[in-house]
Amino acid sequence: MTLLHLVLGDQLSHSISSLRDVEPRGAQVLMAEVMAEATYVGHHQKKIAFLFSAMRHFAEELRGRGFSVRYVTLDTPDNSQSLRGEVERALAATGATGVVVTEPGEYRLLEEMRGWQAHLGVPVEIRDDDRFLITQSGFSRWADRRRELRMEYFYRDMRRHFGVLMAGADPEGGQWNFDKENRKPPLKGLAGPRRLSWRHDAITSEVLELVEARFSHHVGKLRPFHFAVNAEQAEAEFEQFVTEILPSFGDYQDAMVAGEPYLFHSMIAAYLNAGLLLPIDVIRRAERAYHDGAAPLNAVEGFIRQILGWREYVRGIYWRFMPDYAGRNALEAHRPLPALYWGGETKMRCLGSAVQDTLEHAYSHHIQRLMVTGNFALLAGLSVDEVCEWYLAVYADAYEWVELPNTLGMALYADGGLMASKPYAASGKYIDRMSNFCGGCAYSVKDSTGENACPFNSLYWRFIAVNREKFRGNHRMANIVAGWLRMDEMKKQAILARAEDCLVRLDAGTL
Ligand code: DLZ
């Protein structure tokens, strides 16, 4: 009996559960480039090129291991351009009598797959994705026992369970979290090291031409294209991170520098989320760097918290609360996404720079995402749906399981505090402290009123004023709301007038 093993574009791991316990000879693998997946949001051109090239390389590796792989390129004649259609065609062509697939990372596709068995008339087995360190049911068991689902406590339990950075029953270094040591502002001239970049082989060159021909209307710049496209290259990039970059990662985790899109960040999210790297491997490698004395604890703990804590936690939140989660909009934010998010002109240096980095690289680092593009969207009350769609489209690492909780929950507080104990709202003062943007900006970060005032300042206070009733019960917001209520009435009016002026200009494309 031959089964059809479907491998999706973000399942490029040889240990993926859909290929587990399978004798390569006699097994039939299906991989398919389809318009349905390439266009359900308007993915960045680099994201499509990265995935198609990585998929094609992975198919070659599988063939090298003896698998029979049916690989359908986007331009294959008769490509039905949907995953179900390609499964249907493959079943007919190969005579396979059942389908095996690892659960997808997005709710919409899982829902669709649940209907495949009835439609196709053969058994469809959907296996757990055990590249993640906790299953959906494991997360649910953890969550069922708690009133509040805070990441910090989840992370501690994961450290204990996996014995990562532990000294017996205690955390290594006597503390679970070294976040306070990870917030150094950038020194003058701070710059990250030069990163590895890869020559295009024949596969990547062909994919780049395909993306140029078929997706040039999508967001972002395709070239130069520098992504790793197989596990070997991704591992080499990660090794460079551990040996040259990780030691500085902790200190400058929250710093932003104009013209330095990567600084000391690992840049591995796209590889992890597509399956070229495995979370447990990168966690153990970083831990080893600490034990070997090659990287300090604040850096290693900060890195491991992102993978073992945050990444697993957001996935758990996503699956526990979908599909209801996607419809949440606790602060009733509906303003249309302005053109500047698609590269339109802005005089705001920090925002313009974060957007330009995003369009150029399909990447920006987490503080730009959270405290610049995210913070601005929160303060300006931008439509939750449109902002979430933007984040899903523009980042090479974005799939809904990771994007939605990070955007809707963390950045926009649209889940009403399920994930974050208070909104990540900040005025220009935060950006000034953590970056070198404000010095060269057209706006004055010292001012909240008048037409030169940094828009973040007036919008911050407007956000507090508009939502003060909603924040009344939140003890972490009480002082801020009280600060607004105490403020001189004339000053309040001037701030609100400036905020309205900013919003008018935002909509007009002149902010
Ligand atoms: C993101 C993406 C794109 C652009 N194209 C494909 C594709 O052609 N074929 C495929 O199998 N997967 C693709 N993907 C990744 C899927 O969208 C991803 O597997 C689901 O969103 C679930 O995470």
Side-chain angles (χ1 to χ4, degrees):
M1 187 176 86
T2 305
L3 295 176
L4 187 66
H5 300 265
L6 172 64
V7 176
L8 303 177
D10 53 353
Q11 298 183 340
L12 310 180
S13 317
H14 289 288
S15 59
I16 192 81
S17 60
S18 56
L19 299 179
R20 183 100 23 94
D21 307 322
V22 175
E23 184 50 50
R25 284 180 214 291
Q28 180 64 53
V29 174
L30 170 66
M31 299 179 71
E33 297 168 8
V34 293
M35 286 303 270
E37 292 307 306
T39 59
Y40 72 93
V41 289
H43 302 287
H44 194 297
Q45 295 182 51
K46 275 196 168 87
K47 180 180 182 183
I48 300 176
F50 160 63
L51 266 198
F52 283 7
S53 179
M55 285 171 72
R56 291 182 187 196
H57 281 91
F58 188 72
E60 285 307 311
E61 288 173 15
L62 288 178
R63 287 189 181 115
R65 290 174 180 223
F67 283 97
S68 162
V69 181
R70 178 181 165 94
Y71 191 97
V72 184
T73 61
L74 197 81
D75 286 339
T76 301
D78 301 332
N79 183 336
S80 64
Q81 305 299 351
S82 78
L83 287 172
R84 193 185 77 180
E86 283 318 290
V87 169
E88 205 163 7
R89 285 198 324 123
L91 287 172
T94 63
T97 51
V99 179
V100 180
V101 62
T102 295
E103 61 189 344
E106 301 198 345
Y107 184 87
R108 63 170 179 95
L109 194 51
L110 181 64
E111 276 299 281
E112 192 198 307
M113 277 181 185
R114 285 185 173 138
W116 282 5
Q117 183 157 311
H119 178 86
L120 299 170
V122 297
V124 176
E125 184 191 351
I126 303 176
R127 295 185 176 168
D128 278 356
D129 189 346
D130 56 11
R131 295 172 302 172
F132 290 92
L133 301 173
I134 186 165
T135 58
Q136 292 176 32
S137 51
F139 185 86
S140 281
R141 280 195 297 282
W142 175 85
D144 284 342
R145 298 197 302 269
R146 279 168 180 77
R147 203 170 52 84
E148 285 191 330
L149 304 182
R150 296 287 172 246
M151 197 290 284
E152 182 61 29
Y153 298 105
F154 171 78
Y155 166 59
R156 291 179 191 182
D157 286 346
M158 292 291 276
R159 290 261 300 271
R160 287 191 195 95
H161 182 80
F162 287 94
V164 173
L165 288 183
M166 296 299 292
D170 298 319
E172 192 71 47
Q175 258 170 256
W176 289 104
N177 183 319
F178 291 82
D179 219 16
K180 289 208 174 69
E181 293 170 37
N182 292 354
R183 294 181 190 146
K184 286 208 173 85
L187 301 167
K188 199 167 192 291
L190 187 73
R194 196 186 167 86
R195 303 291 178 134
L196 290 180
S197 78
W198 306 99
R199 274 179 199 281
H200 305 159
D201 62 8
I203 292 178
T204 300
S205 298
E206 197 173 298
V207 164
L208 291 175
E209 279 166 28
L210 172 76
V211 173
E212 233 145 30
R214 302 290 296 274
F215 300 101
S216 58
H217 58 292
H218 277 221
V219 65
K221 257 179 84 176
L222 177 62
R223 296 174 195 265
F225 180 86
H226 49 76
F227 283 78
V229 289
N230 58 37
E232 195 184 333
Q233 293 174 346
E235 277 155 20
E237 283 195 29
F238 179 61
E239 198 53 30
Q240 182 199 22
F241 169 70
V242 172
T243 52
E244 294 175 32
I245 304 168
L246 178 59
S248 307
F249 166 74
D251 289 355
Y252 297 111
Q253 214 179 116
D254 288 0
M256 293 176 278
V257 176
E260 286 286 329
Y262 313 136
L263 272 182
F264 303 103
H265 291 274
S266 69
M267 307 277 301
I268 61 168
Y271 308 145
L272 271 177
N273 296 350
L276 299 183
L277 297 175
L278 292 179
I280 192 64
D281 295 344
V282 301
I283 290 167
R284 293 295 182 201
R285 178 68 187 93
E287 188 182 23
R288 188 150 54 84
Y290 166 68
H291 288 303
D292 292 349
L297 186 54
N298 74 313
V300 172
E301 187 282 314
F303 175 77
I304 286 178
R305 182 162 11 106
Q306 291 196 356
I307 315 279
L308 181 65
W310 191 251
R311 185 172 186 273
E312 298 286 331
Y313 169 80
V314 295
R315 179 180 185 255
I317 294 282
Y318 176 77
W319 286 112
R320 184 172 171 84
F321 294 102
M322 280 299 280
D324 154 77
Y325 199 76
R328 295 195 187 190
N329 192 351
L331 301 181
E332 295 165 74
H334 298 291
R335 179 174 293 276
L337 191 72
L340 75 82
Y341 275 74
W342 300 110
E345 283 285 300
T346 175
K347 295 194 284 288
M348 297 176 72
R349 192 166 174 233
C350 57
L351 194 52
S353 165
V355 170
Q356 281 315 317
D357 285 350
T358 300
L359 300 182
E360 173 98 19
H361 306 294
Y363 174 84
S364 69
H365 65 70
H366 81 120
I367 284 296
Q368 290 173 302
R369 295 190 200 192
L370 182 64
M371 300 309 293
V372 181
T373 43
N375 182 27
F376 187 84
L378 172 73
L379 300 185
L382 302 186
S383 154
V384 172
D385 286 347
E386 289 185 45
V387 175
C388 288
E389 188 171 327
W390 183 81
Y391 275 87
L392 188 58
V394 296
Y395 291 114
D397 48 75
Y399 304 90
E400 202 183 58
W401 67 265
V402 59
E403 172 279 320
L404 196 70
N406 271 306
T407 312
L408 184 151
M410 190 69 178
L412 302 180
Y413 201 71
D415 65 8
L418 179 77
M419 283 178 61
S421 56
K422 77 186 224 344
Y424 273 77
S427 67
K429 202 166 157 188
Y430 173 87
I431 295 169
D432 193 26
R433 186 169 69 246
M434 295 311 298
S435 79
N436 66 354
F437 286 122
C438 303
C441 184
Y443 294 111
S444 162
V445 71
K446 304 264 178 281
D447 297 322
S448 305
T449 60
E451 64 178 35
N452 256 349
C454 168
F456 273 104
N457 293 340
S458 57
L459 290 173
Y460 174 79
W461 284 118
R462 179 185 175 277
F463 171 76
I464 301 297
V466 167
N467 293 298
R468 63 186 182 279
E469 286 305 318
K470 294 198 172 88
F471 299 152
R472 204 176 265 284
N474 184 327
H475 71 278
R476 295 194 68 196
M477 296 302 284
N479 278 345
I480 300 168
V481 173
W484 169 254
L485 295 175
R486 270 198 315 271
M487 205 182 278
D488 171 74
E489 202 53 44
M490 295 268 282
K491 188 168 178 197
K492 278 193 206 167
Q493 292 312 319
I495 288 176
L496 292 177
R498 170 60 180 153
E500 288 310 319
D501 173 47
C502 288
L503 292 175
V504 169
R505 288 171 193 263
L506 179 67
D507 292 342
T510 57
L511 189 64

